[in-house]
Each structure stands twice: as structure tokens, then as C-alpha cells.
Amino acid sequence: PSDREVLDWETFGRASREIAQAVVDSGFAPDVVVAVARGGLPPGGAIAYALGTKAVGTLNVEFYTGVDSRLPEPAVLPPLLDTSALRGTRALVVDDVADTGETLALVQRLIAEHCDEARTAVLYAKPRSVIDPDYVWRRTDRWITFPWSALDPVTPSA
Ligand code: 5GP
């Protein structure tokens, strides 16, 4: 159905390589990749491999509880990132999508003062986002189905 933007695993792999290529071509060489959990974990890991960056951290932020149903504001959940470990680094913050952009804005606020430089990369950006990420693979205003959250969690086999 055309009210959804569907990303499959294979296209996700290509998108991750293309974002990494854009990062490298821009002259940015991140020391660390910060993946925003959970949606930023698959692209964060894939992009870190494509960049050859071994240092990967995660920041766990919850905002959405369903299709277009949100908490009042994004909240950081445990386990917490040790932001002091970011001192003196160039960080690439990776998330799946900047929708309202509130999640990335929060992450940038939390880490900006610790890093030398923090840039942001997303697979998708929506027009209403309050921040315009530095690296964007595609732009859409539709709800996106990602391969890692397309199915319900598994349940015990009968
Ligand atoms: P934001 O703070 O930019 O509004 O979005 C935060 C998070 O909500 C995203 O990282 C993502 O996990 C989830 N989200 C927002 N828009 C979509 C969407 O279109 N599809 C899916 N599957 N998740 C979304």
C-alpha cells in the first residue's frame, strides 16, 4: 500500500553503504559511531563497518509507542552511555529516521558538549523534523516500515 514506505533488508544494506560513502566523501572521519537504540542499531552497526570504525556506542531513547503515537517527549533509558568517553572525539550519531527530529535533537544536546564534533546520519528524514541531519539517505513524509520492526516479536514455538 502506498501510504507506507517499505525498506527491505537488501535495500537497507545498500543504503548503509551509500551513507558511509557520503560521510567519507564529505571529509568527515568519525572516531566513534553513536547508534540511537533501538532503531539506530542496525544502521549504526552497518555504517560503522562500512566506515571501518570500531568504536561504537549506543544511547537508548524511547519516544514512539506505535504508528504516530508518541510519549510527550523523548526519554533516555538505561543502560546509559558514558558521555565522558566521547571527550575529544568526532562522533557520528546514527538513527533510522528523523521524524519530528526530537530524538536526534535530544541526543545532540546530550553529547555535543563532550565531543569535538558531532554529526548526524539517518536513513530517512521527514519534512517536519526540527533538525536537518548532516547525512540523509532518503526523504519522505510517509510512515516507514523498517525490516527490523516489520514483524511482531517472536513467541515460543508450540
Ligand atoms: P523522532 O524523534 O524524530 O520523531 O523519531 C524518533 C523515533 O521514532 C525514530 O528513531 C523511530 O524509531 C521512530 N519513528 C519515527 N517515525 C517512524 C516511522 O515512520 N516508522 C517507524 N517504523 N518508526 C518511526
Side-chain angles (χ1 to χ4, degrees):
S2 63
D3 58 332
R4 296 281 172 103
E5 175 95 27
V6 178
L7 182 68
D8 62 40
W9 283 112
E10 186 143 357
T11 312
F12 156 66
R14 208 175 58 236
S16 300
R17 293 288 300 189
E18 289 179 14
I19 291 171
Q21 190 69 58
V23 171
V24 168
D25 289 349
S26 72
F28 188 55
D31 308 296
V32 59
V33 169
V34 176
V36 184
R38 289 178 295 167
L41 290 173
I47 290 168
Y49 268 108
L51 290 170
T53 305
K54 291 185 177 176
V56 179
T58 67
L59 200 65
N60 195 13
V61 182
E62 183 180 60
F63 193 16
Y64 280 71
T65 51
V67 176
D68 259 312
S69 70
R70 284 187 294 271
L71 303 170
E73 53 185 38
V76 178
L77 301 178
L80 303 178
L81 177 72
D82 178 10
T83 46
S84 67
L86 296 173
R87 185 144 318 280
T89 63
R90 291 169 306 239
L92 183 67
V93 178
V94 179
D95 208 350
D96 49 359
V97 49
D99 187 323
T100 64
E102 297 291 350
T103 298
L104 273 182
L106 171 69
V107 172
Q108 269 202 320
R109 272 202 307 282
L110 289 172
I111 75 167
E113 56 179 312
H114 302 283
C115 305
D116 276 1
E117 186 177 0
R119 295 194 189 180
T120 51
V122 293
L123 294 166
Y124 292 93
K126 300 195 186 176
R128 64 175 171 175
S129 175
V130 293
I131 81 156
D132 192 23
D134 298 292
Y135 308 97
V136 176
W137 182 66
R138 291 284 187 270
R139 294 182 188 272
T140 183
D141 57 7
R142 296 188 291 174
W143 185 261
I144 305 144
T145 299
F146 291 103
W148 45 87
S149 51
L151 303 176
D152 290 331
V154 294
T155 55
S157 312

